[in-house]
Amino acid sequence: MKVIAESSSTRTEWALVDGKEIVEHAFTTGMNPFFLSRREISHCIRLELPEVFFRRRWDHVYFYGAGCANTEKNKIMESSLVAQFRTPVTVGSDLLGAARGLLVRRSGLACILGTGSNSCLYNGQEIVKNVPPLGYILGDEGSGAYLGKVFIADLLKDIAPAHLKRDFFEHYSININMIMDEIYTNSLPSRSLAKYSTFLSDHIDDAYVYQLVYSAFMRFFSRNIAAYDYKSQPVCFVGATAVRFRSVLDRAAADFGVKISKVVPNSMPGLVEFHSAE
């Protein structure tokens, strides 16, 4: 039996798997080694996962996570997982997890549109090309954090329509100082920004909101997908932002000349299928 985990900066999905069958399923907070120490990660694993995940040593633990994209950060995650599960561990990026979850063993373009955004060309086993996402400050176009950042900036500069500004502050019972404090003193600002993108989904029929989301997706295509041979490859998306704004994503893709073959909320079913063949 194996443990498979897929983690964004917001939440982690865990599955205890026997062949192709998920025996146990659980969720914990997101665990990104860029923002959390080894001790904090171990604390989340031990206290938030059900005890069934620790009853015995499993054959292997496969962890795919945001921030797990270089040797140094992967070692932080690996050491935390080994300490808790005491079993062999393999750590990969959330992008590799997305690619394997979306395409399993087929080649194609795998894209993440969640709290952050990313994309890659996948050969059915590994990533062979990747446009750097650059994070929520320099990149992450089309992500929940990006949408939240643009909207909050428009809101505070009085660019967003007055009725949306009124509805926003009433809905969240918050003021400008509280927003600034939340974003600039928070250890996970991208998570805070992405939270506000849900307000946009509730007002997608508003012309301003629709254009904001549409422009963000077009920017994702022009600054990321344009670097690949996207017309000859299946293009797949995973993530809450892609699912939440599917109709806008479809229109932006069509206008850019991208044919979307799949949009799913998470990678776990495909990851179970991928690892069941081992």
Side-chain angles (χ1 to χ4, degrees), residues 4-138:
I4 302 174
E6 188 268 330
S7 182
S8 68
S9 292
T10 304
R11 76 171 189 175
T12 306
E13 182 176 6
W14 299 82
L16 183 57
V17 178
D18 186 3
K20 290 186 176 183
E21 181 183 358
I22 296 178
V23 179
E24 296 289 343
H25 196 220
F27 293 92
T28 65
T29 54
M31 288 174 277
N32 188 326
F34 269 94
F35 302 123
L36 300 177
S37 67
R38 173 184 168 179
R39 177 176 293 183
E40 289 171 324
I41 292 169
S42 294
H43 188 266
C44 290
I45 294 171
R46 192 71 216 187
L47 294 185
E48 296 184 29
L49 267 182
E51 190 60 33
V52 65
F53 280 84
F54 306 104
R55 283 181 182 168
R56 66 179 178 88
R57 293 186 181 183
W58 311 112
D59 296 331
H60 208 100
V61 175
Y62 295 96
F63 186 94
Y64 299 93
C68 298
N70 63 60
T71 302
E72 179 186 353
K73 298 302 180 184
N74 286 12
K75 283 182 177 178
I76 293 173
M77 183 60 67
E78 184 177 336
S79 61
S80 298
L81 291 164
V82 169
Q84 298 305 314
F85 290 101
R86 303 192 181 280
T87 196
V89 170
T90 299
V91 175
S93 68
D94 59 338
L95 186 58
L96 179 59
R100 289 178 173 175
L102 286 165
L103 294 156
V104 189
R105 297 187 183 274
R106 296 182 298 120
S107 63
L109 296 180
C111 307
I112 297 173
L113 281 180
T115 300
S117 68
N118 210 340
S119 63
C120 72
L121 175 61
Y122 174 71
N123 67 3
Q125 185 69 33
E126 302 292 341
I127 293 170
V128 294
K129 184 176 181 180
N130 168 237
V131 176
L134 302 182
Y136 73 98
I137 294 177
L138 299 177

Side-chain angles (χ1 to χ4, degrees), residues 240-260:
T241 301
V243 172
R244 186 177 292 126
F245 297 101
R246 175 67 190 270
S247 62
V248 189
L249 179 63
D250 282 341
R251 182 193 161 192
D255 290 348
F256 198 82
V258 171
K259 186 175 181 179
I260 297 176

